[in-house]
Amino acid sequence: MCGIVGYIGLPEKTSQHGALDVLLEGLRRLEYRGYDSAGVATVASGTVSMRKKSGKLANLLSEIEAEPMTEASVGIGHTRWATHGAPNDLNAHPHLADGDKLAVIHNGIIENFAQLKAKLVSTGETFASETDTEVAAKLIAQHFTATGGDLTEAMRLAANQLEGAFTLLAVHADQPDRVVASRRNSPLVVGLGDGENFLGSDVSGFIDFTREAVELEQDQVVTITTDDVAIINFDGSPAEGKRFSVNWDAAAAEKGGFGTFMEKEIHDQPKAVEDTLLGRTDASGRLVLDELRIDPEELKNISKIIVLACGTSAYAGMVAKYAIEHWVRVPVEVELSHEFRYRDPIIDDSTLIVSLSQSGETMDTLMAVRYAKEQGARTLAICNTNGSTIPRESDAVLYTHAGPEIAVASTKAFLAQITASYLLGLYMAQLRGKLFQGEIDDILADLHKIPGKIQEVLDGGEQIRELAREMAQAPSVLFLGRHVGYPVAMEGALKLKEIAYIHAEGFAAGELKHGPIALIDQGQPVFVVVPSPHGRDSLHAKVVSNIQEVRARGAKTITVAEAGDADVVDYSEQVFYVPETQPLLMPLLTTVPLQIFACALAAEKGYDVDQPRNLAKSVTVE
Ligand code: F6R
């Protein structure tokens, strides 16, 4: 939440791209993190210039066009997801202090801001906004004066007074040769250039300019100048960052000819699954998960797995439960991260915590992982973002290779998470001797066929888009599923809620008769995710009965079924067929029509598919 960029470059660099160009390009790429307001501040000729505007980045661009800023080689930029204070111009970042010579931007929540503010007010300070950020700006300003003009030290001293989660970036007119930042529980990466350096909430903030980056640890201050990156801990001791190279380029974060990022990312899914499967076996076909860093002996002795995640990632976790329990015969619990640590869970060193997070920065999940570690559990992250906090703080990581996901609604990361969970399950089954090698080989071979099958579903997308256009006025849509189809139903409902603002619910089909069937009225649209007729017979037959039950009560039934499943035809207004695969692997196919449906319906209603209201990607507040 909130996108942050910082830049400093030598004049020969900034003659190619001025600081403002770099900042605005970074904000364009980071806008998915929040779009309540945007702002920039640059330093030139001993003064700070600032422009900020509520609403999307486009509003800021118009503001700058109307009132151009002077050329500069240093600056900071921010795109906001509001926490403290309404999303208006006044509360937009940057915030100024020290006679408008200091500009500060912030991501996160400063939990002790009220106490700090009261103290500052009692000493005569006045505030222009309702934000917690302005409190940090005032503190940095006070320390700047007290230290005789040392912005790094001022930032460090202020950071030590703050509680909660924050990434802060500051520039000062009296020390224009640097951008200084601090972080606690909130993301920040450094981009390394030649004669220029960058800061970003994530690497997309500077991907147009460099793919070389440095990870920061918790509680650190970083100072970037044109030729140096200096890191210190909050206690003042020197520190080293970990260097890494970004393995995707700027083009991967563009729309690639599609109208929206979401459409593009839905179409990226064959590759996301393929890349996530890539290089996971040795010459003899045995799974080798190199990044795991947990001793195989320890994995053999795990007695329970708890999957922690939120939102779409939690639905991927539910799919993982069905597969891992079936293949590994180890109990798997799935829990929303924000509920987990408040219920006194039973964890010990034979518990494996598997966290699922696209961003690797979701605060609820990070806090739950930290809590589990404190209780002695082993922690493994399944994550899509290299260098992010959750994998860094976990004992092990299994990266998904979906590439950058920009649309707020998650699509390709979901399929990649499911794929990685299957790999983990198969790997544990291999280690613990729960499946024969031939069985593992067969499942892997079927997994490798999935990308081509997803492509088939995508190729038939027009049928779904047509239905979405017809259904644009539906006030409510229900989704039913059983077994692995149940999390798919919930994911279908979530997609529709979050981008089309339609009331939608996903239910376990068997639960219907225990209450929700009362919702069925004449014409109520109900999507049903039908299990394979080749799986457990009873499962398929039961779902067909569920379709009949809702249809008998007037529902308009739309089914997503396996190719050749004739049993659903008589009871479905429309059937979307997906290619045949193993029953446990079906979510990789049955999810896709539901994503296409939500995306097309939101577009039909004229909504901003990539940046739905009230939401932001990367939820870095609890
Ligand atoms: C929904 C969506 C969210 C995220 C959730 C967790 O489309 O994107 O529900 O899945 O906020 O985010 P990550 O996976 O980054 O931890």
Side-chain angles (χ1 to χ4, degrees):
M1 277 172 170
C2 296
I4 279 189
V5 274
Y7 175 75
I8 186 156
L10 286 169
E12 54 265 38
K13 280 287 167 189
T14 48
S15 64
Q16 294 160 23
H17 43 247
L20 191 60
D21 297 347
V22 177
L23 298 174
L24 293 176
E25 183 55 28
L27 291 184
R28 184 179 73 79
R29 292 196 179 276
L30 290 174
E31 199 182 11
Y32 68 90
R33 301 179 72 97
Y35 29 86
D36 288 332
S37 63
V40 286
T42 55
V43 183
S45 319
T47 51
V48 169
S49 328
M50 180 179 74
R51 300 284 184 279
K52 56 184 187 173
K53 198 72 199 148
S54 61
K56 295 199 173 177
L57 182 62
N59 297 358
L60 175 70
L61 299 181
S62 311
E63 181 89 351
I64 294 173
E65 202 173 275
E67 212 187 321
M69 297 173 79
T70 45
E71 279 300 315
S73 57
V74 56
I76 53 179
H78 188 267
T79 174
R80 178 172 189 237
W81 187 81
T83 54
H84 286 79
N88 56 28
D89 289 357
L90 218 55
N91 291 327
H93 300 211
H95 292 280
L96 300 179
D98 204 8
D100 294 352
K101 287 193 292 181
L102 170 75
V104 174
I105 55 176
H106 165 222
N107 172 25
I109 293 180
I110 298 168
E111 285 172 359
N112 59 339
F113 98 102
Q115 297 95 297
L116 293 168
K117 187 169 180 176
K119 231 189 227 167
L120 288 163
V121 169
S122 71
T123 62
E125 288 284 1
T126 53
F127 288 80
S129 77
E130 303 155 299
T131 64
D132 49 350
T133 310
E134 207 183 346
V135 172
K138 299 278 186 199
L139 291 176
I140 297 170
Q142 285 186 347
H143 292 303
F144 189 81
T145 307
T147 55
D150 182 341
L151 189 57
T152 303
E153 187 58 4
M155 176 66 87
R156 188 186 76 79
L157 293 169
N160 274 292
Q161 289 176 273
L162 306 178
E163 288 167 18
F166 54 87
T167 301
L168 288 164
L169 261 65
V171 286
H172 199 293
D174 292 348
Q175 220 177 12
D177 66 338
R178 63 196 53 211
V179 183
V180 179
S182 61
R183 80 167 283 253
R184 166 180 288 164
N185 291 332
S186 180
L188 178 66
V189 277
V190 181
L192 301 174
D194 178 16
E196 57 186 351
N197 284 307
F198 308 80
L199 294 166
S201 299
D202 63 51
V203 293
S204 51
F206 46 73
I207 193 70
D208 290 272
F209 307 99
T210 180
R211 288 163 67 181
E212 293 307 304
V214 174
E215 282 177 23
L216 294 179
E217 292 296 327
Q218 196 57 286
D219 290 358
Q220 291 188 327
V221 173
V222 60
T223 303
I224 59 164
T225 57
T226 53
D227 59 358
D228 191 36
V229 172
I231 305 171
I232 54 170
N233 296 308
F234 278 7
D235 64 7
S237 57
E240 289 279 325
K242 193 170 144 218
R243 240 185 117 135
F244 66 100
S245 297
V246 183
N247 58 4
W248 48 270
D249 60 19
E254 291 295 345
K255 289 182 194 154
F258 290 93
T260 61
F261 279 111
M262 186 174 177
E263 276 174 274
K264 184 233 174 202
E265 287 161 9
I266 289 172
H267 284 80
D268 279 348
Q269 292 184 116
K271 187 155 170 21
V273 171
E274 191 177 312
D275 289 354
T276 301
L277 290 171
L278 214 67
R280 309 289 194 179
T281 46
D282 65 15
S284 67
R286 282 178 70 79
L287 273 165
V288 275
L289 300 183
D290 283 340
E291 309 144 293
L292 268 193
R293 300 192 312 248
I294 292 187
D295 185 348
E297 279 311 307
E298 280 189 67
L299 282 182
K300 276 189 193 167
N301 295 325
I302 292 299
S303 64
K304 177 170 78 172
I305 294 175
I306 304 179
V307 178
L308 298 177
C310 303
T312 289
S313 297
Y315 298 146
M318 287 175 68
V319 176
K321 172 184 166 76
Y322 287 95
I324 296 175
E325 285 190 338
H326 184 71
W327 293 331
V328 191
R329 310 306 300 150
V330 165
V332 180
E333 294 170 19
V334 185
E335 187 144 8
L336 294 170
S337 314
H338 37 87
E339 288 297 316
F340 169 75
R341 70 189 172 118
Y342 298 107
R343 70 160 170 92
D344 202 8
I346 300 163
I347 314 168
D348 60 26
D349 59 5
S350 71
T351 309
L352 177 68
I353 297 291
V354 176
S355 62
L356 290 176
S357 177
Q358 187 286 128
S359 61
E361 300 291 350
T362 298
M363 184 62 80
D364 290 320
T365 303
L366 173 62
M367 290 304 176
V369 168
R370 281 190 187 156
Y371 175 78
K373 265 187 104 167
E374 279 162 24
Q375 307 297 308
R378 307 296 279 145
T379 54
L380 188 159
I382 292 181
C383 183
N384 195 44
T385 311
N386 222 297
S388 56
T389 309
I390 295 172
R392 222 176 39 234
E393 294 199 11
S394 299
D395 297 315
V397 56
L398 187 53
Y399 279 113
T400 49
H401 296 296
E405 194 178 64
I406 309 293
V408 163
S410 185
T411 52
K412 61 177 178 174
F414 178 66
L415 293 205
Q417 286 169 336
I418 294 174
T419 306
S421 305
Y422 290 151
L423 289 173
L424 176 65
L426 292 173
Y427 179 68
M428 288 186 72
Q430 175 183 285
L431 276 182
R432 297 161 74 112
K434 293 292 178 189
L435 289 176
F436 293 113
Q437 191 56 43
E439 292 175 294
I440 296 176
D441 293 346
D442 286 349
I443 300 168
L444 279 176
D446 283 340
L447 267 174
H448 280 282
K449 288 183 198 148
I450 291 285
K453 294 180 180 183
I454 297 174
Q455 191 56 52
E456 282 181 49
V457 180
L458 294 173
D459 292 344
E462 191 44 36
Q463 187 199 351
I464 306 156
R465 283 189 285 272
E466 210 177 296
L467 177 72
R469 289 191 284 270
E470 281 167 25
M471 283 178 60
Q473 299 316 318
S476 142
V477 181
L478 304 181
F479 293 78
L480 305 180
R482 266 180 198 253
H483 191 245
V484 285
Y486 170 36
V488 171
M490 292 204 287
E491 172 61 4
L494 178 60
K495 287 287 94 83
L496 209 54
K497 283 182 237 199
E498 66 177 330
I499 61 168
Y501 318 144
I502 289 183
H503 173 257
E505 296 289 339
F507 296 110
E511 188 64 10
L512 209 62
K513 56 190 176 295
H514 298 287
I517 200 161
L519 290 169
I520 308 292
D521 200 354
Q522 201 57 39
Q524 168 68 51
V526 180
F527 274 79
V528 187
V529 182
V530 185
S532 166
H534 303 107
R536 288 182 204 156
D537 293 350
S538 53
L539 199 62
H540 179 263
K542 293 242 159 56
V543 172
V544 173
S545 303
N546 297 139
I547 304 172
Q548 288 168 302
E549 284 157 18
V550 289
R551 199 166 166 85
R553 288 159 177 84
K556 171 187 165 91
T557 46
I558 302 135
T559 50
V560 179
E562 188 176 284
D565 183 348
D567 298 344
V568 294
V569 176
D570 288 346
Y571 313 112
S572 311
E573 196 124 330
Q574 280 216 34
V575 188
F576 298 114
Y577 283 119
V578 300
E580 188 180 336
T581 188
Q582 303 205 9
L584 275 169
L585 308 188
M586 278 193 82
L588 292 175
L589 302 175
T590 49
T591 305
V592 180
L594 306 186
Q595 297 168 333
I596 298 173
F597 177 76
C599 185
L601 200 146
E604 180 66 18
K605 293 183 93 168
Y607 295 147
D608 186 335
V609 169
D610 290 333
Q611 297 180 343
R613 69 186 180 201
N614 305 337
L615 289 169
K617 207 158 182 80
S618 231
V619 186
T620 53
V621 294
E622 273 184 279

